[in-house]
Amino acid sequence: MGRFASTASTYEHLRPPYPGAFFRGVAQKLGLSQRCALIDLGTGPGLLALGFAPYVGRIVGVDPEPAMIEAAREAAARGGQALTLIEGKAETLVPDIGTFDIVTIGRALHWMDREATVARLDQLVVRDGAILVCASFSVTDGRNPWLDGYNEIRRRWSPEKLWEEAGKGARTHRDLPTFFRGSAFAPTERVAVETSHAVSVRDLTQRVLTYSSSSPEALGDKVEAALRDVESHLATFSRDGMIAETIVSTAEIVKR
């Protein structure tokens, strides 16, 4: 079982969403059109691939986890979108897959072999194309007053090794110049779109299970106890069972 096999059924609905304004803004910034081809590496349930689908002509999603591939297939069918899906890793894509105007990557760089991935990206991206390293997350500036306690409870229940790996992922995402050092690529610009919404205490509690460090597989028989701990914390911030959340969705544009 892969790291995210036990999160596939809930990931799409419970993680902080990418709003439509994010996809529109990035598409306008890059001048995307139906002539463009996009490949989403570490596609998961296809959030980025399907979000950008209205703005490009060809879409491919790649993920090593069969359960995530199935979740993406079902999401594409619900949305009536044509999406080619490949079970595998970015580093091992076949040479004849072709080239792409846009390569999207969510919070997946730290799961990839750096040298092999950078070499493969050099082959995948057309000369004037771009890599988009994307994320959507709760803002950490105090406007989500429930967040620090929420993350502390997650840390407390997560196996230490998995929590450290999660921290490595965050650091990798923040330090893209280091990831692409020595390659033909470098970060050039950042697009950020901020939105606010209300999320139920139940859904925000269940979101804990979508992270690799606190997935059902990671927590084992501690799942129910961990969820009770999180729900008790969130209850003090809720109004009629709902929590206000401000999120920011970002795309780091990386080019040659």
Side-chain angles (χ1 to χ4, degrees):
M1 179 182 288
R3 293 177 186 270
F4 290 92
S6 59
T7 73
S9 62
T10 55
Y11 192 107
E12 175 186 1
H13 305 291
L14 298 179
R15 280 294 184 97
Y18 290 96
F22 168 77
F23 295 109
R24 288 194 300 274
V26 175
Q28 291 170 1
K29 172 70 69 175
L30 296 177
L32 300 185
S33 72
Q34 294 300 307
R35 295 188 298 274
C36 296
L38 180 150
I39 187 168
D40 185 28
L41 304 180
T43 195
L47 300 182
L48 291 172
L50 295 173
F52 281 114
Y55 304 100
V56 298
R58 178 191 175 208
I59 325 163
V60 177
V62 181
D63 201 280
E65 178 55 63
M68 285 296 191
I69 290 290
E70 184 56 32
R73 183 175 290 112
E74 292 173 359
R78 288 195 302 272
Q81 293 286 355
L83 174 60
T84 300
L85 291 164
I86 299 172
E87 183 182 326
K89 297 182 178 181
E91 307 95 301
T92 58
L93 286 171
V94 295
D96 62 358
I97 194 171
T99 56
F100 296 84
D101 302 279
I102 301 294
V103 174
T104 55
I105 306 172
R107 290 205 168 194
L109 279 179
H110 61 296
W111 301 117
M112 301 176 181
D113 178 278
R114 178 188 172 278
E115 290 188 6
T117 298
V118 168
R120 196 68 187 90
L121 287 170
D122 196 41
Q123 299 167 339
L124 283 174
V125 183
V126 299
R127 176 54 52 185
D128 58 348
I131 302 163
L132 302 178
V133 182
C134 303
S136 192
F137 51 91
S138 308
V139 299
T140 58
D141 58 6
R143 284 178 290 165
N144 294 313
W146 50 269
L147 184 61
D148 287 346
Y150 181 86
N151 286 335
E152 173 56 27
I153 294 169
R154 282 184 52 222
R155 186 204 62 75
R156 191 162 66 237
W157 284 98
S158 297
E160 184 176 355
K161 180 180 179 182
L162 294 183
W163 186 259
E164 290 175 352
E165 287 182 346
K168 175 186 175 184
R171 290 191 296 274
T172 299
H173 192 275
R174 287 195 300 265
D175 191 10
L176 293 182
T178 294
F179 186 89
F180 288 102
R181 182 177 297 158
S183 76
F185 299 99
T188 60
E189 195 171 356
R190 183 176 188 261
V191 177
V193 174
E194 188 177 289
T195 55
S196 296
H197 67 158
V199 58
S200 70
V201 168
R202 181 187 181 280
D203 283 355
L204 196 51
T205 299
Q206 292 288 320
R207 184 188 291 176
V208 166
L209 302 181
T210 70
Y211 298 97
S212 62
S213 59
S214 53
S215 67
E217 182 185 9
L219 294 177
D221 60 5
K222 300 176 182 178
V223 167
E224 294 304 322
L227 292 181
R228 285 195 298 270
D229 200 359
V230 173
E231 186 172 18
S232 177
H233 165 71
L234 291 175
T236 63
F237 297 92
S238 71
R239 175 177 295 182
D240 298 326
M242 303 298 289
I243 298 280
E245 180 179 28
T246 300
I247 63 173
V248 60
S249 301
T250 62
E252 302 285 352
I253 301 173
V254 180
K255 291 186 175 183
R256 287 186 174 87

